[in-house]
Amino acid sequence: MKALILVGGFGTRLRPLTLSVPKPLVDFANKPMILHQIEALKDVGVTEVVLAINYQPEVMLNFLKDFESKLGIKITCSQETEPMGTAGPLALARDKLDDGSGEPFFVLNSDVISEYPFAELIEFHKSHGGEATIMVTKVERFVEKPKVFVGNKINAGIYLLSPSVLDRIELKPTSIEKEVFPRIAADKGLFAMVLPGFWMDIGQPRDYITGLRLYLESLRKRSPARLASGAHVLGNVLVHETATIGEGCLIGPDVAVGPGCVVEAGVRLSRCTVMRGARVKKHACISGSIVGWHSTVGKWARVENMTILGEDVHVCDEVYSNGGVVLPHKEIKSSILKPEIVM
């Protein structure tokens, strides 16, 4: 089976993290977002993943080369010279997606995190015999990017499509949601499956933090052994095996500490992500924030309220950040008292 992941453009909503890497390579729960998807696809027998991309394909491919051999899955790029919407990329990658076997292929939005129940999706798709299955998720609240509404259910950005769908798509910027699906529905070939478990579009910081909470909650149910435990841990916490945690810390709930991170003594972390190679010095306190790769938070510093530190940012000792969004390679010597961008 094949899969197409819609990677798209610049990832502006997750800046400053996306100033360092393309959005699908931003770490989520200690590994690049897109790896969660690729691993789940591999588990149900997908042999080739095509990335539809219009920005920095070299960076993506160089990075994913390592994973190709590790996971034993082929990863290729289909590059758009102009933005092609959500359906155009399928026409562009047609030769890769339709190998003549008649097998359906997956289409995923790269920002979506869930339990990826792909096996159930394949079973459902084959049982109804229609052309297209879209996964939908129940929502209680309005979601930022307008999606197709199906009562209280919205399109979850995960599809399984039969190759015949490709005959319906022209090679031009097209919307799969607004143009292609309505035509399939008119021919009674469109089916919806309600996504079991959690779902989140983690394309912006607030939703990224919420997504981490949901992901860790789901991990607690599925493989609790992967979560950290001990007197210093509160709630669901993921700590990479190469990270070190000092004496007298309180970590959690809903925290991910990445590879090679150093968390010194007496630190308090809650609802936050500390990415690869970062250092949090003694008695610092971080909540509701994202600390980018190789950044440092100084002693007795306080970082909160959706502060986002880009790569290699250094917050000095005793500095307070209330919602600061800090671009890569900056040093913060004085407090940020209200949410603002530090360039």
Side-chain angles (χ1 to χ4, degrees):
M1 289 181 83
K2 309 286 175 71
L4 180 78
I5 301 180
L6 299 167
V7 173
F10 298 107
T12 46
R13 297 180 303 156
L14 262 190
R15 280 185 187 154
L17 301 169
T18 48
L19 295 172
S20 299
V21 296
K23 184 167 56 179
L25 299 186
V26 170
D27 293 316
F28 176 81
N30 295 351
K31 63 183 167 199
M33 284 185 195
I34 201 163
L35 265 197
H36 292 273
Q37 299 183 325
I38 293 174
E39 287 173 357
L41 288 165
K42 160 84 173 134
D43 288 345
V44 292
V46 168
T47 52
E48 183 175 355
V49 174
V50 183
L51 309 176
I53 191 165
N54 58 27
Y55 172 62
Q56 291 186 325
E58 319 66 43
V59 181
M60 285 285 289
L61 279 178
N62 289 340
F63 176 86
L64 291 165
K65 276 280 162 281
D66 302 345
F67 290 100
E68 264 199 328
S69 46
K70 265 184 212 156
L71 293 171
I73 191 168
K74 188 174 172 192
I75 302 171
T76 56
C77 264
S78 171
Q79 194 183 359
E80 312 165 16
T81 46
E82 55 165 338
M84 296 288 277
T86 49
L90 279 72
L92 200 59
R94 178 177 186 135
D95 297 345
K96 292 182 165 142
L97 298 173
D98 184 6
D99 55 6
S101 68
E103 280 291 326
F105 57 88
F106 290 95
V107 177
L108 310 185
N109 175 337
S110 71
D111 294 351
V112 165
I113 194 91
S114 76
E115 287 172 9
Y116 307 122
F118 294 150
E120 295 91 312
L121 179 56
I122 294 169
E123 198 180 328
F124 177 71
H125 183 79
K126 294 193 166 165
S127 72
H128 66 61
E131 261 191 288
T133 304
I134 66 173
M135 284 211 133
V136 294
T137 182
K138 287 187 174 147
V139 281
E140 277 71 55
R141 63 183 187 84
F142 177 72
V143 174
E144 184 211 11
K145 282 190 174 176
K147 303 267 193 328
V148 180
F149 270 81
V150 195
N152 67 337
K153 301 180 188 72
I154 58 158
N155 174 347
I158 299 172
Y159 318 129
L160 190 57
L161 310 176
S162 297
S164 58
V165 170
L166 293 167
D167 299 332
R168 297 175 175 268
I169 304 171
E170 291 175 61
L171 188 55
K172 62 173 195 197
T174 321
S175 162
I176 198 163
E177 299 83 1
K178 297 190 179 78
E179 299 174 66
V180 182
F181 287 158
R183 294 202 292 269
I184 299 175
D187 294 341
K188 302 200 168 19
L190 183 68
F191 291 77
M193 173 179 165
V194 177
L195 179 80
F198 78 100
W199 176 88
M200 201 71 211
D201 175 333
I202 54 172
Q204 59 181 337
R206 192 167 298 282
D207 295 338
Y208 175 105
I209 296 283
T210 303
L212 182 64
R213 174 176 64 79
L214 297 172
Y215 174 84
L216 294 175
E217 220 169 71
S218 151
L219 210 52
R220 167 75 62 199
K221 292 189 193 104
R222 290 179 301 145
S223 38
R226 286 178 52 201
L227 294 171
S229 54
H232 63 292
V233 172
L234 197 63
N236 300 329
V237 172
L238 194 60
V239 176
H240 194 270
E241 63 218 21
T242 59
T244 58
I245 308 281
E247 289 292 302
C249 289
L250 190 55
I251 315 284
D254 308 321
V255 171
V257 178
C261 289
V262 176
V263 176
E264 296 184 3
V267 164
R268 175 77 182 97
L269 303 177
S270 66
R271 301 186 327 283
C272 66
T273 287
V274 181
M275 292 186 183
R276 186 182 62 252
R279 176 180 285 264
V280 183
K281 296 190 174 174
K282 291 177 183 171
H283 306 291
C285 176
I286 303 173
S287 71
S289 298
I290 301 174
V291 176
W293 310 272
H294 306 288
S295 290
T296 309
V297 174
K299 292 176 193 169
W300 297 99
R302 187 179 176 111
V303 169
E304 62 186 31
N305 190 25
M306 295 311 310
T307 290
I308 306 193
L309 307 180
E311 181 182 17
D312 179 43
V313 165
H314 302 283
V315 174
C316 294
D317 294 354
E318 299 179 30
V319 162
Y320 171 57
S321 170
N322 172 20
V325 172
V326 186
L327 273 66
H329 316 298
K330 297 278 168 220
E331 186 173 31
I332 303 296
K333 292 179 175 161
S334 56
S335 291
I336 301 168
L337 301 176
K338 59 180 201 308
E340 62 176 318
I341 296 173
V342 180
M343 316 237 347

